[in-house]
Amino acid sequence: MRHSPQILHLIQGTTQGVLFSWERETFGEKEWQQLYNYPSYGASLLIQDMGSPELGRVYSLHGEYRFFFLDRKLNLKAGLGAGYIPNTYDPIENPRNTAYGSSFTASILFGLEYRFQRLFDLPLDFKVGTFLVHYSNGKTKSPNTSTNNYGLQAGLNYNLSETKKEYNTSSLEPISKDWTWDILAASGANDSGIWGEANEAFLTLTTSVNKRLSHRSGLSLGLDAFFTPSVKTFIQYRAAAFPELDNFQGDEDWRRVGLFLGHELYLGGWSVMSQIGYYVYYPIDYLNREYIKVGLRRYITDKFYVSIVLKSHYSKAEAIEYGIGIRL
């Protein structure tokens, strides 16, 4: 997909690959399965030739959920995982690969599928759909223009055995909707966006107040404090190399503070979080003043959780944050 002028020279043909998948159905043994119409879950391995010698192949492994609609004829698959790229950017050996700066990358997979069931009154289904695969390292290492690969799919499915499926429809236990308070510390490594610069570790401190709205969702309002040394490297580089562009002196404050509004979608012990933020302390113009966070949380107990989050400024990724938090 031509999402950036920097990758036009890399789009040389269609991609080819093979996808191996394992999937398991749910029948409502857990409450969250009933809430989401008994989704299935599984894993997949995708081996993909990206259609140009500069990009080469990507090997990615995903964890997936499949959600069903319209009497289970329509389904949405969402997968998140990691990919391995043997043929990355190299200033001498592979300078034209402006998409992949690191050997390891995040991999996101979405698929939408419609199934026509029991053709000719046989245990035979026909399915048709579309998919999107996104590879990006979240600015862990530049260049990171990333790629988006989309396509159509069609196929036949034959059920080797047919058994009546019984779904649990027990009543849901009530949940507490009290206000809570979160404290979260997250870290990782990124670079300034200057090709050839080393990664630098960063620290993000977050606090928020939260309100559970239902079994499915909750809202939060909070503050982020970003301590990102790669921003300091960016300031010093621009001050030395392009002083006329930004009027940087080289000693500007590189720290930022943001105010955010967030949403959390609960899936049992997991949750999908999304946040929209705005820097209330923004001493220099770096990327954009608005930022977005999307990611996953895994609750170890009712109070402790770990998280993985992608922070971006619209389409420009800044970092992947690995965090640990407590909810009081």
Side-chain angles (χ1 to χ4, degrees), residues 167-185:
Y167 296 100
N168 190 342
T169 57
S170 60
S171 58
L172 301 177
E173 294 291 332
I175 61 168
S176 172
K177 297 183 180 180
D178 294 338
W179 290 86
T180 57
W181 176 37
D182 276 18
I183 302 173
L184 171 70

Side-chain angles (χ1 to χ4, degrees), residues 56-173:
R57 290 184 177 179
V58 181
Y59 304 83
S60 56
L61 183 66
H62 312 88
E64 300 174 344
Y65 281 99
R66 190 186 296 273
F67 300 94
F68 296 90
F69 312 91
L70 301 179
D71 196 27
R72 305 186 75 80
K73 294 179 181 178
L74 179 69
N75 67 76
L76 171 68
K77 181 169 71 172
L80 176 64
Y84 173 67
I85 303 170
N87 200 26
T88 59
Y89 166 81
D90 184 273
I92 298 175
E93 300 294 333
N94 195 10
R96 286 168 54 84
N97 186 351
T98 57
Y100 306 143
S102 62
S103 295
F104 292 95
T105 181
S107 179
I108 301 173
L109 172 65
F110 287 103
L112 187 65
E113 179 184 281
Y114 190 87
R115 180 171 295 199
F116 298 89
Q117 300 173 330
R118 293 198 58 83
L119 298 180
F120 312 112
D121 201 28
L122 296 173
L124 182 67
D125 300 341
F126 174 72
K127 55 186 181 180
V128 61
T130 184
F131 67 88
L132 172 71
V133 184
H134 174 74
Y135 296 122
S136 172
N137 68 28
K139 207 182 174 188
T140 302
K141 185 69 175 176
S142 294
N144 181 47
T145 313
S146 74
T147 58
N148 293 307
N149 173 218
Y150 68 96
L152 301 174
Q153 59 187 17
L156 292 172
N157 183 84
Y158 187 86
N159 298 310
L160 297 177
S161 63
E162 290 188 294
T163 58
K164 185 178 180 180
K165 299 176 182 179
E166 297 183 1
Y167 296 100
N168 190 342
T169 57
S170 60
S171 58
L172 301 177
E173 294 291 332

Side-chain angles (χ1 to χ4, degrees), residues 12-32:
Q12 300 173 15
T14 59
T15 63
Q16 300 180 40
V18 59
L19 178 70
F20 300 94
S21 296
W22 169 85
E23 195 167 316
R24 184 170 182 173
E25 295 178 295
T26 65
F27 297 94
E29 297 89 349
K30 299 180 179 179
E31 288 188 347
W32 72 268

Side-chain angles (χ1 to χ4, degrees), residues 218-229:
L219 295 177
S220 60
L221 179 66
L223 284 172
D224 289 315
F226 301 101
F227 305 90
T228 312

Side-chain angles (χ1 to χ4, degrees), residues 214-258:
S214 67
H215 284 85
R216 291 188 179 92
S217 64
L219 295 177
S220 60
L221 179 66
L223 284 172
D224 289 315
F226 301 101
F227 305 90
T228 312
S230 62
V231 179
K232 182 179 181 180
T233 301
F234 173 82
I235 294 171
Q236 294 173 342
Y237 171 80
R238 299 284 285 202
F242 304 100
E244 71 283 358
L245 293 181
D246 305 295
N247 295 319
F248 288 163
Q249 302 302 310
D251 58 354
E252 287 84 357
D253 193 356
W254 46 276
R255 293 160 292 192
R256 294 162 293 169
V257 176

